[in-house]
Amino acid sequence: MLGTGNQKYNPHAVMQILLELSTAHLLRSSGTQQIHFVAYESHQAQQLTEAMDEHLGRVKVLLPKGDLVDSIKYDIDGLIRMLQQMNPIKVLDDLQQLILNDNATPLGFGITGRDLADAIVNDLLNLEDQKGDLNGKIRKLQKPKYDVPEWAKQYLHVLRTIGNNFAHGQAAAQKMSTSLGPQDLEIQLICIRRVLKLWFDIQREKSS
């Protein structure tokens, strides 16, 4: 990571500068959508992650563990494998990597769960309804022509909300620290499994 090797700069100070410059660039640029920070060594990558989380005020929440969670992950992995044959998109690969990674973070599940919700909603909506933020797009599923169960829309909102809270800065993190814990992330996994099953059923019906 820039300046933290032989120069031994404080990773937290470097990260603050990088985030400020990156944010300014993203606000100015009409073409740049993402900026990736890369570290060549695993310990530097961990320092980068910790510094970014601290700067953004991301709360640390432990992933839930146990037989129930393992069972849910097993189901999710199976659904992903079937969906990849029907609709091989990147978010499914990202989610599968998280499911199979014992060191995956709640942040990873939060953001990937939100991306999954966005992908599913876009797939369900007609092209003219795919504009806008995820909240607005989920609301468009209320239109009678889509015939999406109410519970599915609520599950999609759960994934959207948790993902937003993990991705956003200090204010959201402070609120979340008093309300989200491992049990909430367990609910998130249940939501992921349920919307994946719905999506699989819809894809299978389309192909039949």
Side-chain angles (χ1 to χ4, degrees):
M1 185 167 58
L2 180 65
T4 61
N6 294 332
Q7 293 173 291
K8 300 187 183 303
Y9 291 153
N10 186 318
H12 296 269
V14 172
M15 177 51 61
Q16 181 173 350
I17 295 171
L18 286 176
L19 286 174
E20 289 173 355
L21 293 175
S22 299
T23 301
H25 175 74
L26 287 170
L27 291 173
R28 291 194 310 268
S29 173
S30 60
T32 306
Q33 299 296 320
Q34 294 180 338
I35 295 176
H36 295 273
F37 298 127
V38 178
Y40 291 105
E41 302 291 341
S42 59
H43 72 279
Q44 291 178 332
Q46 183 61 34
Q47 287 180 328
L48 180 69
T49 299
E50 292 175 357
M52 183 180 294
D53 288 347
E54 181 177 319
H55 181 77
L56 295 176
R58 289 171 175 162
V59 65
K60 294 182 179 180
V61 181
L62 295 176
L63 282 173
K65 298 183 182 296
D67 292 341
L68 175 60
V69 171
D70 290 341
S71 175
I72 296 171
K73 287 183 176 181
Y74 179 84
D75 291 344
I76 291 174
D77 182 48
L79 287 165
I80 289 172
R81 292 177 188 276
M82 291 187 291
L83 280 162
Q84 283 171 327
Q85 299 177 24
M86 301 175 174
N87 192 4
I89 58 175
K90 182 178 181 298
V91 69
L92 291 175
D93 295 335
D94 293 342
L95 181 58
Q96 189 171 45
Q97 289 179 15
L98 286 172
I99 291 297
L100 300 176
N101 182 4
D102 291 335
N103 296 316
T105 64
L107 172 63
F109 274 106
I111 293 177
T112 304
R114 182 188 61 185
D115 290 344
L116 174 68
D118 194 54
I120 292 174
V121 171
N122 281 337
D123 187 63
L124 296 175
L125 291 173
N126 294 336
L127 185 61
E128 66 270 15
D129 284 333
Q130 292 178 10
K131 297 178 181 178
D133 61 18
L134 181 54
N135 183 37
K137 289 190 290 188
I138 295 174
R139 291 180 183 276
K140 291 176 184 176
L141 291 174
Q142 299 281 2
K143 296 180 180 181
K145 64 180 178 180
Y146 292 120
D147 192 27
V148 176
E150 184 62 30
W151 63 260
K153 288 172 275 192
Q154 297 305 319
Y155 280 23
L156 290 165
H157 274 304
V158 170
L159 296 179
R160 175 188 65 82
T161 302
I162 292 178
N164 285 346
N165 280 337
F166 272 115
H168 291 170
Q170 293 184 0
Q174 290 300 322
K175 293 178 183 177
M176 188 176 60
S177 66
T178 61
S179 59
L180 280 187
Q183 297 86 352
D184 300 286
L185 297 176
E186 190 173 291
I187 292 173
Q188 184 199 23
L189 289 174
I190 292 172
C191 289
I192 289 174
R193 178 177 62 179
R194 197 66 183 91
V195 298
L196 279 175
K197 180 61 167 64
L198 173 70
W199 198 23
F200 171 74
D201 290 341
I202 292 173
Q203 294 286 339
R204 183 173 56 181
E205 185 175 335
K206 285 181 180 179
S207 62
S208 62

